[in-house]
Amino acid sequence: MDALLLISFGGPEGPEDVMPFLENVTRGRNVPRERLEEVAEHYHLFGGVSPINELCRELKSSIEELVDVPVYWGNRNWPPYLEDTVARMKADGVRSAAAFVTSAYDGYSSSGQYLEDIARARAAVPDAPEITKLPVYCLEPGFLGPFVENTRAALAQAPGARLVFTAHSVPLSQQGCEDYVRELKEVARRVHEASGSELPYDLVYQSRSGPPSQPWLEPDVCDHLERLHAEGVDSVVLVPIGFVSDHMEVKFDLDVEARETAEKLGMTLVRASTPGAALAPLARDLFERA
């Protein structure tokens, strides 16, 4: 392999980017304008900036310190667009590359859609480099380890708290949904086991969208907090195992909505950090195995 390609979702980097970004994300899905405006307000709470692009810069920089090949970065929904990055790779003489995506799990949204992104970008660039997506890595020690460390740190802030693992909800009908859930359950089991907690734990979901008539993975994290409160639980640690890095689904759905729910209930809530640039050694290891 001549290069390593980091592929991510992309996110706005200023207030003027928010609506064009959301239009990119939802293109062809007939999402009502009022819904886009509602979601845009989530971003404006944070200055119109998603943290994911800065995370990608940090992760790219960390990977570059560990590998002896060029490292490129391309996004699905915002600059640097993947098609532009693939064109630059070709111009640089890259003939083959391995792709590390910022999504650790199997399933369509977390894996299959990235394969489509790669195919579409290559089709847009005549004589494009060969690009091989690196394997799903949710059960790799390099992914689990940072979550274990971050969970222990969160538990130290709230001793005796109930661990609640969260992941992005998807439609039950989505291709690969069963594989996605199976992997999430195994990651939650392993992180809980290594965390030192002797209390029960839960796996819940967040950030669902789409019409109410369409079944999605449940329970919702805020609904679950209310259920735990009714059972007498007064302290929780949220561990967003479904997310490689902080982005708006973490910053708003957990740090704002879930926190507001916990405060309303009088519950202590601590949110464990996501791995972010700590995944650089894992990217190197997967690349070296490719």
Side-chain angles (χ1 to χ4, degrees), residues 53-258:
N53 274 5
E54 187 58 33
L55 173 278
C56 284
R57 293 186 184 96
E58 294 172 4
L59 180 56
K60 178 178 180 289
S61 178
S62 296
I63 294 171
E64 286 172 332
E65 297 177 0
L66 301 176
V67 299
D68 295 325
V69 298
V71 181
Y72 295 84
W73 165 37
N75 288 327
R76 176 185 299 160
N77 295 300
W78 202 250
Y81 288 112
L82 183 57
E83 292 88 344
D84 296 336
T85 300
V86 171
R88 183 157 62 89
M89 292 166 66
K90 178 196 172 183
D92 290 346
V94 173
R95 298 182 61 85
S96 64
F100 181 85
V101 306
T102 57
S103 183
Y105 293 85
D106 213 337
Y108 176 70
S109 295
S110 48
S111 183
Q113 197 167 5
Y114 282 103
L115 291 172
E116 294 177 356
D117 294 337
I118 292 169
R120 183 169 52 253
R122 292 190 68 247
V125 180
D127 196 27
E130 292 293 328
I131 300 174
T132 303
K133 179 183 174 295
L134 293 170
V136 165
Y137 52 84
C138 59
L139 299 180
E140 291 281 343
F143 179 75
L144 295 169
F147 268 114
V148 171
E149 181 178 340
N150 295 346
T151 300
R152 288 173 175 167
L155 284 170
Q157 298 178 53
R162 174 84 159 241
L163 286 181
V164 178
F165 297 97
T166 76
H168 204 301
S169 185
V170 301
L172 296 182
S173 60
Q174 187 176 99
Q175 181 183 357
C177 180
E178 291 182 359
D179 294 331
Y180 176 61
V181 172
R182 182 176 63 252
E183 290 170 346
L184 286 168
K185 287 180 176 179
E186 182 61 15
V187 170
R189 186 191 69 80
R190 294 192 191 190
V191 174
H192 173 259
E193 184 177 81
S195 72
S197 172
E198 297 181 355
L199 297 174
Y201 67 94
D202 310 286
L203 173 62
V204 303
Y205 299 93
Q206 60 176 91
S207 314
R208 73 152 290 164
S209 57
S213 59
Q214 184 181 38
W216 283 54
L217 290 171
E218 295 179 339
D220 173 78
V221 58
C222 291
D223 293 342
H224 192 69
L225 291 178
E226 293 184 355
R227 190 172 303 118
L228 289 178
H229 174 70
E231 296 172 1
V233 175
D234 61 5
S235 181
V236 297
V237 164
L238 296 183
V239 187
I241 55 169
F243 299 87
V244 164
S245 71
D246 284 14
H247 44 99
M248 202 48 58
E249 283 84 351
V250 175
K251 298 297 291 181
F252 182 79
D253 296 349
L254 297 185
D255 294 349
V256 175
E257 283 194 327

